[in-house]
Amino acid sequence: MAARGSAGDAALRRAAEQWLLWDKNPKTYAIVKQLLAEGNAGELQKYFGSRMEFGTAGLRAAMGAGISHMNDLTIIQTTQGFCRYLEKNFSDLKKRGVVIGFDARAHLSSGGSSKRFARLAANTFISQGVPVYLFSDIVPTPFVPYTVTHLKLCAGIMVTASHNPKQDNGYKVYWENGAQIISPHDKGISQAIEENQEPWPQAWDDKLIDSSPLLHDPYAMVNKEYFKDIQKQCFYRNINKETNLKFVHTSVHGVGHKFVQLAFKAFDLSPPFAVPEQKDPDPDFPTVKYPNPEEGKGVLTLSFALAEKDGARIILANDPDADRLAVAEKQESGEWKVFSGNELGALLGWWIFTCWKNNSRDTRAIKDVYMLSSTVSSKILRAIALKEGFHFEETLTGFKWMGNRAKQLMDQGKAVLFAFEEAIGYMCCPAVLDKDGVSAAVITAEMASFLATRNLSLSQQLKAVYDEYGFHITKASYFICHDPEVIQQLFDNLRNFDGKNTYPKSCGRFKVSGIRDLTTGYDSSQPDQKAILPTSKSSQMITFTFANGGVATMRTSGTEPKIKYYSELCAPPGNSDVEQLKKELDELVNALEKHFFQPEKNKLQRKTE
């Protein structure tokens, strides 16, 4: 073996030996001790090759031993860094404090669980004299940003891996404004983690927090105040009380069940039927392949069966940390339609604006009203805004951008009514500056109940929205690729398509009329060819505009080994040949896959249902 290889192996051994000096979790300690005894460099590389990267989404990785995984020691190290970074940024940290929430994830073989990680994080802060509002039980992710804002805290942490596979966990961070962190905070926290790796003296003794005057439980208060706040979005209480519409709800083995039931009660709606096999939290997610309602009908099989049995027409599905919402409706034909994130965004945008218009005692003129969506989401809100006279803004992908922008606008006295992203995330209530699947579920139920009094289904109303504001047909999917070099090569090819620094001029028969590359900052539509939205060299994202009015974006995912694409064809109001538009978009997507992704050449794995 070359000297460099053996030097690398020696460094891995040193990292593992250092780990054993610090790790007091018997399960992860035993795993690492065994690895060292076996001396398998490949295995050591897997656990100690590189530390989990702390990004704007915080941490997300599989639970297990070593610096590449979520475990007791990496949680202690991360929280020590975060604590030092907050001390540097807030002189009143010891007065205001932080909030910590957790979901129901657990991993037997490494002894890790969301609750255990949350307690260790709380212990880290309390050992430094920082007050901690630690939820005593599982909560939806939106409860953490809500608490940051409501109690004017310095920061929030939610221990969750959302809808990731069962072996994963995550550590999501909110700033004092109630929105997820954006750069440069991620870099600052990352550096502070590097500087604070040795566990502090009381790091492992989490029993100390139970008797500490610095520990507070916000559970009862938030359960009361949150449901009071979302009732500001309840406009048709009488209809809710009378409606015959039946709903099915699934929390997909996550945290959502109790909270959606409470939300329905707060809106005077009869409780939805809960899918019995999925209503209680279960870290094994036994009834689904992926606990992600975004994956379509496969996740909803049990919901369809219950709806048929109980005569329910609408299904509401949360992901396991209840910050996302999927909706399905039974059609006249007996088929179930699962709405895409863009379709539900169109419906909720229309509904929330209509309610504001009809019920607003708000004296602010329409010129102070805003809606936001991410740049890969449908432009339907732009079309509604143009016709109705309010403002629409698009942001980079991810609610961290929409949450931070919404806060800026609210601080300027503007009303931000709604924000959404196509990945079934909706912010329907300004009390939470992040996506919230609980408020979105109950607001969707009220909208459906109202429409039922007009003999309209959600699908019929969606068509009415498109008839009025123009059809917006969207299609999104992804390819799986585990090789970062292949991904880099694919995007490099697009940037050097017909020679160096030239982008494609066409895609099959479709002529390209504009290009925006948010990795490099190039935008052909701007006079100086510089993109307006912020750019990031660490992720890939190129948007192509086509001469036929189509738009397609290709981007890498920040949390999964995926190359995603999003496409949309927008027609002006009055063009109602939907089938022709769909056909045109299908052809465009086929060309995009064939010419730009080249799945066979790049050995990309298609999304499977």
Side-chain angles (χ1 to χ4, degrees), residues 500-519:
K500 197 165 167 46
N501 294 332
T502 61
Y503 291 87
K505 294 183 177 62
S506 64
C507 179
R509 72 174 178 85
F510 298 96
K511 192 170 171 300
V512 173
S513 59
I515 283 151
R516 183 186 66 189
D517 187 336
L518 290 181
T519 307

PDB file of all heavy atoms in Angstrom, residues 500-519:
ATOM      1  N   LYS A 500     -16.657  25.508 -25.286  1.00  0.00           N
ATOM      2  CA  LYS A 500     -16.459  26.040 -23.936  1.00  0.00           C
ATOM      3  C   LYS A 500     -17.412  27.206 -23.637  1.00  0.00           C
ATOM      4  O   LYS A 500     -17.625  28.082 -24.471  1.00  0.00           O
ATOM      5  CB  LYS A 500     -15.002  26.478 -23.780  1.00  0.00           C
ATOM      6  CG  LYS A 500     -14.581  26.654 -22.329  1.00  0.00           C
ATOM      7  CD  LYS A 500     -13.062  26.715 -22.208  1.00  0.00           C
ATOM      8  CE  LYS A 500     -12.633  27.192 -20.832  1.00  0.00           C
ATOM      9  NZ  LYS A 500     -13.310  26.563 -19.710  1.00  0.00           N
ATOM     10  N   ASN A 501     -17.963  27.188 -22.421  1.00  0.00           N
ATOM     11  CA  ASN A 501     -18.851  28.267 -21.943  1.00  0.00           C
ATOM     12  C   ASN A 501     -20.036  28.554 -22.863  1.00  0.00           C
ATOM     13  O   ASN A 501     -20.413  29.716 -23.074  1.00  0.00           O
ATOM     14  CB  ASN A 501     -18.062  29.572 -21.728  1.00  0.00           C
ATOM     15  CG  ASN A 501     -17.074  29.419 -20.595  1.00  0.00           C
ATOM     16  OD1 ASN A 501     -17.299  28.622 -19.674  1.00  0.00           O
ATOM     17  ND2 ASN A 501     -15.976  30.148 -20.653  1.00  0.00           N
ATOM     18  N   THR A 502     -20.607  27.499 -23.457  1.00  0.00           N
ATOM     19  CA  THR A 502     -21.828  27.715 -24.241  1.00  0.00           C
ATOM     20  C   THR A 502     -22.904  26.762 -23.725  1.00  0.00           C
ATOM     21  O   THR A 502     -22.658  25.581 -23.542  1.00  0.00           O
ATOM     22  CB  THR A 502     -21.609  27.424 -25.742  1.00  0.00           C
ATOM     23  OG1 THR A 502     -21.230  26.059 -25.871  1.00  0.00           O
ATOM     24  CG2 THR A 502     -20.562  28.325 -26.345  1.00  0.00           C
ATOM     25  N   TYR A 503     -24.061  27.340 -23.474  1.00  0.00           N
ATOM     26  CA  TYR A 503     -25.200  26.537 -23.012  1.00  0.00           C
ATOM     27  C   TYR A 503     -25.969  26.014 -24.232  1.00  0.00           C
ATOM     28  O   TYR A 503     -25.820  26.551 -25.343  1.00  0.00           O
ATOM     29  CB  TYR A 503     -26.123  27.400 -22.151  1.00  0.00           C
ATOM     30  CG  TYR A 503     -25.526  27.801 -20.819  1.00  0.00           C
ATOM     31  CD1 TYR A 503     -24.741  28.952 -20.704  1.00  0.00           C
ATOM     32  CD2 TYR A 503     -25.750  27.033 -19.675  1.00  0.00           C
ATOM     33  CE1 TYR A 503     -24.204  29.336 -19.483  1.00  0.00           C
ATOM     34  CE2 TYR A 503     -25.214  27.403 -18.443  1.00  0.00           C
ATOM     35  CZ  TYR A 503     -24.446  28.554 -18.355  1.00  0.00           C
ATOM     36  OH  TYR A 503     -23.920  28.914 -17.143  1.00  0.00           O
ATOM     37  N   PRO A 504     -26.825  25.014 -24.055  1.00  0.00           N
ATOM     38  CA  PRO A 504     -27.592  24.484 -25.192  1.00  0.00           C
ATOM     39  C   PRO A 504     -28.492  25.548 -25.819  1.00  0.00           C
ATOM     40  O   PRO A 504     -29.078  26.369 -25.105  1.00  0.00           O
ATOM     41  CB  PRO A 504     -28.455  23.378 -24.549  1.00  0.00           C
ATOM     42  CG  PRO A 504     -27.846  23.080 -23.232  1.00  0.00           C
ATOM     43  CD  PRO A 504     -27.115  24.304 -22.794  1.00  0.00           C
ATOM     44  N   LYS A 505     -28.588  25.524 -27.151  1.00  0.00           N
ATOM     45  CA  LYS A 505     -29.485  26.467 -27.848  1.00  0.00           C
ATOM     46  C   LYS A 505     -30.851  25.825 -28.084  1.00  0.00           C
ATOM     47  O   LYS A 505     -31.828  26.499 -28.396  1.00  0.00           O
ATOM     48  CB  LYS A 505     -28.859  26.899 -29.174  1.00  0.00           C
ATOM     49  CG  LYS A 505     -27.587  27.730 -28.967  1.00  0.00           C
ATOM     50  CD  LYS A 505     -27.014  28.205 -30.298  1.00  0.00           C
ATOM     51  CE  LYS A 505     -25.800  29.102 -30.103  1.00  0.00           C
ATOM     52  NZ  LYS A 505     -24.680  28.394 -29.422  1.00  0.00           N
ATOM     53  N   SER A 506     -30.887  24.492 -27.968  1.00  0.00           N
ATOM     54  CA  SER A 506     -32.182  23.811 -28.111  1.00  0.00           C
ATOM     55  C   SER A 506     -32.133  22.505 -27.320  1.00  0.00           C
ATOM     56  O   SER A 506     -31.066  22.036 -26.915  1.00  0.00           O
ATOM     57  CB  SER A 506     -32.486  23.530 -29.588  1.00  0.00           C
ATOM     58  OG  SER A 506     -31.511  22.642 -30.083  1.00  0.00           O
ATOM     59  N   CYS A 507     -33.328  21.936 -27.135  1.00  0.00           N
ATOM     60  CA  CYS A 507     -33.438  20.650 -26.443  1.00  0.00           C
ATOM     61  C   CYS A 507     -34.397  19.829 -27.302  1.00  0.00           C
ATOM     62  O   CYS A 507     -35.621  20.032 -27.254  1.00  0.00           O
ATOM     63  CB  CYS A 507     -33.997  20.869 -25.031  1.00  0.00           C
ATOM     64  SG  CYS A 507     -34.199  19.351 -24.103  1.00  0.00           S
ATOM     65  N   GLY A 508     -33.844  18.953 -28.140  1.00  0.00           N
ATOM     66  CA  GLY A 508     -34.696  18.273 -29.120  1.00  0.00           C
ATOM     67  C   GLY A 508     -35.275  19.317 -30.048  1.00  0.00           C
ATOM     68  O   GLY A 508     -34.559  20.183 -30.566  1.00  0.00           O
ATOM     69  N   ARG A 509     -36.613  19.304 -30.217  1.00  0.00           N
ATOM     70  CA  ARG A 509     -37.229  20.280 -31.135  1.00  0.00           C
ATOM     71  C   ARG A 509     -37.547  21.618 -30.449  1.00  0.00           C
ATOM     72  O   ARG A 509     -38.082  22.537 -31.049  1.00  0.00           O
ATOM     73  CB  ARG A 509     -38.512  19.687 -31.737  1.00  0.00           C
ATOM     74  CG  ARG A 509     -39.687  19.571 -30.790  1.00  0.00           C
ATOM     75  CD  ARG A 509     -40.943  19.100 -31.528  1.00  0.00           C
ATOM     76  NE  ARG A 509     -42.097  18.931 -30.663  1.00  0.00           N
ATOM     77  CZ  ARG A 509     -42.931  19.910 -30.317  1.00  0.00           C
ATOM     78  NH1 ARG A 509     -42.728  21.143 -30.747  1.00  0.00           N
ATOM     79  NH2 ARG A 509     -43.974  19.660 -29.532  1.00  0.00           N
ATOM     80  N   PHE A 510     -37.207  21.719 -29.156  1.00  0.00           N
ATOM     81  CA  PHE A 510     -37.590  22.927 -28.404  1.00  0.00           C
ATOM     82  C   PHE A 510     -36.432  23.918 -28.338  1.00  0.00           C
ATOM     83  O   PHE A 510     -35.352  23.598 -27.859  1.00  0.00           O
ATOM     84  CB  PHE A 510     -38.042  22.545 -26.992  1.00  0.00           C
ATOM     85  CG  PHE A 510     -39.253  21.653 -26.987  1.00  0.00           C
ATOM     86  CD1 PHE A 510     -39.122  20.274 -26.893  1.00  0.00           C
ATOM     87  CD2 PHE A 510     -40.516  22.200 -27.120  1.00  0.00           C
ATOM     88  CE1 PHE A 510     -40.242  19.446 -26.916  1.00  0.00           C
ATOM     89  CE2 PHE A 510     -41.642  21.384 -27.135  1.00  0.00           C
ATOM     90  CZ  PHE A 510     -41.508  20.008 -27.043  1.00  0.00           C
ATOM     91  N   LYS A 511     -36.710  25.140 -28.830  1.00  0.00           N
ATOM     92  CA  LYS A 511     -35.679  26.181 -28.869  1.00  0.00           C
ATOM     93  C   LYS A 511     -35.543  26.816 -27.479  1.00  0.00           C
ATOM     94  O   LYS A 511     -36.539  27.172 -26.852  1.00  0.00           O
ATOM     95  CB  LYS A 511     -36.093  27.229 -29.902  1.00  0.00           C
ATOM     96  CG  LYS A 511     -35.014  28.212 -30.250  1.00  0.00           C
ATOM     97  CD  LYS A 511     -35.441  29.057 -31.447  1.00  0.00           C
ATOM     98  CE  LYS A 511     -34.479  30.204 -31.694  1.00  0.00           C
ATOM     99  NZ  LYS A 511     -34.351  31.139 -30.594  1.00  0.00           N
ATOM    100  N   VAL A 512     -34.299  26.951 -27.013  1.00  0.00           N
ATOM    101  CA  VAL A 512     -34.040  27.609 -25.717  1.00  0.00           C
ATOM    102  C   VAL A 512     -33.975  29.118 -25.932  1.00  0.00           C
ATOM    103  O   VAL A 512     -33.234  29.607 -26.788  1.00  0.00           O
ATOM    104  CB  VAL A 512     -32.703  27.106 -25.108  1.00  0.00           C
ATOM    105  CG1 VAL A 512     -32.345  27.895 -23.852  1.00  0.00           C
ATOM    106  CG2 VAL A 512     -32.782  25.610 -24.789  1.00  0.00           C
ATOM    107  N   SER A 513     -34.772  29.871 -25.159  1.00  0.00           N
ATOM    108  CA  SER A 513     -34.774  31.333 -25.349  1.00  0.00           C
ATOM    109  C   SER A 513     -34.093  32.073 -24.195  1.00  0.00           C
ATOM    110  O   SER A 513     -33.828  33.259 -24.277  1.00  0.00           O
ATOM    111  CB  SER A 513     -36.211  31.845 -25.514  1.00  0.00           C
ATOM    112  OG  SER A 513     -36.965  31.514 -24.360  1.00  0.00           O
ATOM    113  N   GLY A 514     -33.837  31.360 -23.085  1.00  0.00           N
ATOM    114  CA  GLY A 514     -33.178  32.038 -21.960  1.00  0.00           C
ATOM    115  C   GLY A 514     -32.569  31.027 -21.005  1.00  0.00           C
ATOM    116  O   GLY A 514     -33.050  29.897 -20.885  1.00  0.00           O
ATOM    117  N   ILE A 515     -31.489  31.458 -20.322  1.00  0.00           N
ATOM    118  CA  ILE A 515     -30.807  30.572 -19.369  1.00  0.00           C
ATOM    119  C   ILE A 515     -30.444  31.353 -18.115  1.00  0.00           C
ATOM    120  O   ILE A 515     -29.915  32.472 -18.197  1.00  0.00           O
ATOM    121  CB  ILE A 515     -29.521  29.978 -19.989  1.00  0.00           C
ATOM    122  CG1 ILE A 515     -29.911  28.852 -20.963  1.00  0.00           C
ATOM    123  CG2 ILE A 515     -28.593  29.397 -18.925  1.00  0.00           C
ATOM    124  CD1 ILE A 515     -28.971  28.644 -22.066  1.00  0.00           C
ATOM    125  N   ARG A 516     -30.764  30.752 -16.955  1.00  0.00           N
ATOM    126  CA  ARG A 516     -30.305  31.331 -15.689  1.00  0.00           C
ATOM    127  C   ARG A 516     -29.584  30.226 -14.920  1.00  0.00           C
ATOM    128  O   ARG A 516     -30.152  29.160 -14.684  1.00  0.00           O
ATOM    129  CB  ARG A 516     -31.492  31.852 -14.862  1.00  0.00           C
ATOM    130  CG  ARG A 516     -31.051  32.528 -13.569  1.00  0.00           C
ATOM    131  CD  ARG A 516     -32.224  32.902 -12.710  1.00  0.00           C
ATOM    132  NE  ARG A 516     -32.921  31.713 -12.240  1.00  0.00           N
ATOM    133  CZ  ARG A 516     -34.084  31.742 -11.601  1.00  0.00           C
ATOM    134  NH1 ARG A 516     -34.705  32.877 -11.394  1.00  0.00           N
ATOM    135  NH2 ARG A 516     -34.650  30.622 -11.186  1.00  0.00           N
ATOM    136  N   ASP A 517     -28.349  30.494 -14.560  1.00  0.00           N
ATOM    137  CA  ASP A 517     -27.530  29.501 -13.854  1.00  0.00           C
ATOM    138  C   ASP A 517     -27.204  30.065 -12.464  1.00  0.00           C
ATOM    139  O   ASP A 517     -26.375  30.963 -12.325  1.00  0.00           O
ATOM    140  CB  ASP A 517     -26.240  29.262 -14.658  1.00  0.00           C
ATOM    141  CG  ASP A 517     -25.397  28.122 -14.093  1.00  0.00           C
ATOM    142  OD1 ASP A 517     -25.546  27.824 -12.888  1.00  0.00           O
ATOM    143  OD2 ASP A 517     -24.597  27.548 -14.857  1.00  0.00           O
ATOM    144  N   LEU A 518     -27.890  29.548 -11.442  1.00  0.00           N
ATOM    145  CA  LEU A 518     -27.688  30.100 -10.096  1.00  0.00           C
ATOM    146  C   LEU A 518     -26.484  29.478  -9.385  1.00  0.00           C
ATOM    147  O   LEU A 518     -26.244  29.762  -8.216  1.00  0.00           O
ATOM    148  CB  LEU A 518     -28.961  29.950  -9.254  1.00  0.00           C
ATOM    149  CG  LEU A 518     -30.120  30.863  -9.691  1.00  0.00           C
ATOM    150  CD1 LEU A 518     -31.331  30.676  -8.803  1.00  0.00           C
ATOM    151  CD2 LEU A 518     -29.712  32.334  -9.712  1.00  0.00           C
ATOM    152  N   THR A 519     -25.748  28.623 -10.087  1.00  0.00           N
ATOM    153  CA  THR A 519     -24.474  28.149  -9.534  1.00  0.00           C
ATOM    154  C   THR A 519     -23.371  29.143  -9.895  1.00  0.00           C
ATOM    155  O   THR A 519     -22.535  29.490  -9.071  1.00  0.00           O
ATOM    156  CB  THR A 519     -24.126  26.750 -10.090  1.00  0.00           C
ATOM    157  OG1 THR A 519     -25.242  25.879  -9.861  1.00  0.00           O
ATOM    158  CG2 THR A 519     -22.898  26.173  -9.406  1.00  0.00           C
TER     159      THR A 519
END
